[in-house]
């Protein structure tokens, strides 16, 4: 079975590479020090510090493996090459929510970068999926958990890096 492609913007790729470097260089060394300290305290069978350090080590190694898997299967969207005549990954889109009569802005990103608090929505989310391929002035019906939402596409443009 072939692994699913991870779609990333350049900023998302850079952030994952930085996190991977920090985990490998800094966090691994920190947790190894904690394990060494805990071992020096004697009996490991009742040593909570040792157990906690081993759990942290396991979590770090799992995250390293996860990031390496994402990077191995990454497809990077070169935002300079994205065309803005229709909505794509790497675009910033301004929509008018016709249900609640308000304007909103989203950056369409791959699922690994999605962060609703930063206005970054996944191309695989119900809203992201419905918006892909739409053009300015298109009206889009989106099935969400809250029911059907209706958005009108107002603007499509480049997403600002970061």
């Amino acid at each position: 079975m072939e692994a699913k492609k991870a779609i990333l913007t350049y900023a998302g790729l850079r952030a994952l590479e930085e996190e991977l470097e920090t985990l490998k260089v800094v966090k691994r060394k920190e947790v190894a020090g904690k394990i060494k300290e805990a071992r020096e305290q004697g009996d490991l069978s009742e040593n909570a510090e040792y157990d906690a350090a081993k759990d942290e080590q396991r979590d770090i190694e799992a995250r390293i493996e996860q990031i390496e898997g994402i990077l191995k299967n990454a497809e990077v969207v070169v935002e300079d090459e994205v065309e803005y005549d229709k909505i794509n990954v790497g675009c910033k889109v301004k929509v008018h929510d016709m249900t609640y009569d308000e304007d909103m802005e989203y950056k369409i990103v791959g699922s690994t970068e999605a962060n609703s608090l930063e206005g970054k929505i996944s191309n695989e989310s119900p809203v992201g999926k419905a918006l892909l391929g739409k053009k300015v002035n298109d009206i889009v019906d989106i099935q969400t958990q809250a029911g059907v939402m209706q958005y009108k596409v107002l603007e499509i443009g480049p997403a600002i890096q970061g």
Side-chain angles (χ1 to χ4, degrees):
M1 187 170 104
E2 194 173 312
K4 186 179 124 195
K5 284 276 182 210
I7 298 175
L8 294 169
T9 61
Y10 182 71
L13 174 71
R14 214 172 47 235
L16 280 175
E17 288 172 339
E18 287 171 11
E19 181 183 354
L20 183 62
E21 182 73 12
T22 300
L23 288 171
K24 284 183 167 183
V25 175
V26 178
K27 295 293 184 183
R28 270 184 175 162
K29 198 175 288 182
E30 282 177 7
V31 82
K34 289 178 186 177
I35 290 170
K36 183 176 184 269
E37 262 180 56
R39 273 198 186 120
E40 291 169 355
Q41 293 175 12
D43 185 9
L44 297 181
S45 64
E46 295 180 19
N47 190 325
E49 287 85 8
Y50 179 78
D51 291 341
K54 290 301 278 183
D55 288 346
E56 186 179 354
Q57 182 182 45
R58 185 194 63 237
D59 293 346
I60 288 169
E61 294 306 320
R63 181 63 178 152
I64 287 171
E65 191 176 316
Q66 180 186 34
I67 293 172
E68 286 175 338
I70 291 168
L71 294 175
K72 183 176 151 197
N73 294 303
E75 182 177 314
V76 179
V77 174
V78 181
E79 294 179 48
D80 294 345
E81 296 173 8
V82 173
E83 294 179 23
Y84 301 109
D85 58 333
K86 64 182 179 186
I87 299 171
N88 285 297
V89 173
C91 288
K92 182 169 67 175
V93 59
K94 185 174 184 180
V95 295
H96 181 75
D97 183 333
M98 298 170 80
T99 309
Y100 293 102
D101 193 31
E102 62 182 348
D103 291 351
M104 296 176 296
E105 281 190 1
Y106 297 116
K107 180 178 178 185
I108 310 293
V109 296
S111 59
T112 55
E113 290 178 76
N115 183 335
S116 60
L117 297 176
E118 295 176 7
K120 296 177 179 179
I121 61 170
S122 166
N123 62 316
E124 298 174 16
S125 70
V127 173
K129 204 180 283 188
L131 289 174
L132 286 179
K134 300 300 185 259
K135 299 178 180 201
V136 172
N137 293 322
D138 282 357
I139 294 178
V140 186
D141 290 328
I142 303 167
Q143 183 66 48
T144 68
Q145 292 175 331
V148 176
M149 309 288 285
Q150 200 170 56
Y151 288 176
K152 180 175 182 179
V153 180
L154 302 177
E155 296 173 20
I156 304 168
I160 298 166
Q161 288 288 344

